Amino acid sequence: MTAHIPEHRRGALVAAIAVAVTAVAVTAVAVTAVASAAERPSNQATLEGSVIPIPASVTARAGSFAIRDGAQILTPGDAETARIAVYFADLMHESHAITLAVRRLPSGLPRTAEPATRLRPHAIVFHLDPQARGTNPESYQVDVSTEGVLVSARDPRGLFYGAVTLWQLASAPAVHGEVILPAMQITDAPRFRWRGLMLDSARHFQSADFVVHYIDWMALHKLNVLGWHLTD
């Protein structure tokens, strides 16, 4: 038997049903979000919003490291590593007004962050290491301890992404001329070989400066392929 609902009450009933359905949907989304957060390793959850994308492996450590104005970046002296170190120094200067000095490592190449700091206290070391972890040329490792930072990779592409990750870790505002990094070890490699964006310059005009900044922002998000539509 079908119940008869007076006309003047139908609108109120529909509104009540809509509110109830919305409440159920919101609750379901909230439960899903909580469950996802619970399943996600806590040390990776702390990187949300800073490192993009979230690294494959993050091992938290006790303590922290401060990047201060005037700190040194050490490289073995090869052109590729020096170029990436200068790029990182430029990013820190533009985003935090922190000036870092890029220097050549005087002797011996440290395999971890701790030996680097015995050569130069509070050092940031960039290191191209043929024996570094990972077989992907874009893989890298960022080792942050209380004494220093080591960014290592077997290929310049991976070292560049390691520099980007270190800059992303330093996304917090500088306080009294320094940025505090939590101590951790990050080992990362891309899940997908093709990570790109499309730019349609055939139908929408962009200036040369816009295109350059577009590519810069791609690099800062670890995107490696530009699909550039120039003509029909």
Side-chain angles (χ1 to χ4, degrees):
M1 182 176 67
T2 303
H4 175 70
I5 302 175
E7 188 69 29
H8 67 278
R9 295 187 59 189
R10 289 181 183 177
L13 181 60
V14 170
I17 293 174
V19 169
V21 171
T22 301
V24 171
V26 170
T27 301
V29 170
V31 170
T32 302
V34 171
S36 299
E39 294 171 359
R40 189 184 304 115
S42 59
N43 52 13
Q44 290 194 2
T46 60
L47 297 181
E48 284 194 1
S50 57
V51 178
I52 301 175
I54 295 177
S57 173
V58 182
T59 302
R61 293 174 170 173
S64 61
F65 175 77
I67 300 180
R68 297 186 173 92
D69 195 61
Q72 289 193 339
I73 302 176
L74 302 180
T75 74
D78 62 282
E80 287 284 2
T81 305
R83 177 182 60 84
I84 294 169
V86 169
Y87 177 80
F88 172 76
D90 289 344
L91 287 176
M92 290 299 295
H93 182 72
E94 292 175 9
S95 61
H96 294 80
I98 291 178
T99 300
L100 303 175
V102 179
R103 299 284 186 265
R104 182 169 182 171
L105 195 65
S107 62
L109 200 58
R111 299 301 299 272
T112 64
E114 287 76 11
T117 59
R118 289 199 288 269
L119 293 171
R120 291 292 186 274
H122 302 289
I124 301 171
V125 179
F126 283 84
H127 178 19
L128 274 177
D129 180 9
Q131 305 302 319
R133 297 181 185 178
T135 57
N136 190 313
E138 295 178 307
S139 61
Y140 65 88
Q141 188 171 31
V142 177
D143 191 344
V144 181
S145 74
T146 57
E147 300 296 331
V149 179
L150 174 65
V151 182
S152 59
R154 62 174 56 232
D155 187 277
R157 286 169 285 182
L159 195 66
F160 176 83
Y161 290 134
V164 170
T165 289
L166 183 59
W167 175 72
Q168 291 175 335
L169 283 174
S171 61
V175 178
H176 304 302
E178 68 178 23
V179 175
I180 306 299
L181 305 179
M184 66 177 68
Q185 184 179 74
I186 294 176
T187 301
D188 194 22
R191 290 179 59 197
F192 304 104
R193 182 179 178 183
W194 182 295
R195 308 179 306 280
L197 285 181
M198 171 69 180
L199 181 62
D200 187 356
S201 297
R203 297 181 178 87
H204 308 282
F205 178 78
Q206 296 98 16
S207 67
D209 285 342
F210 175 87
V211 175
V212 170
H213 287 302
Y214 191 83
I215 295 172
D216 284 342
W217 279 108
M218 287 180 60
L220 291 177
H221 289 81
K222 303 183 179 77
L223 302 176
N224 63 350
V225 176
L226 172 64
W228 200 355
H229 185 196
L230 295 174
T231 184
D232 285 329

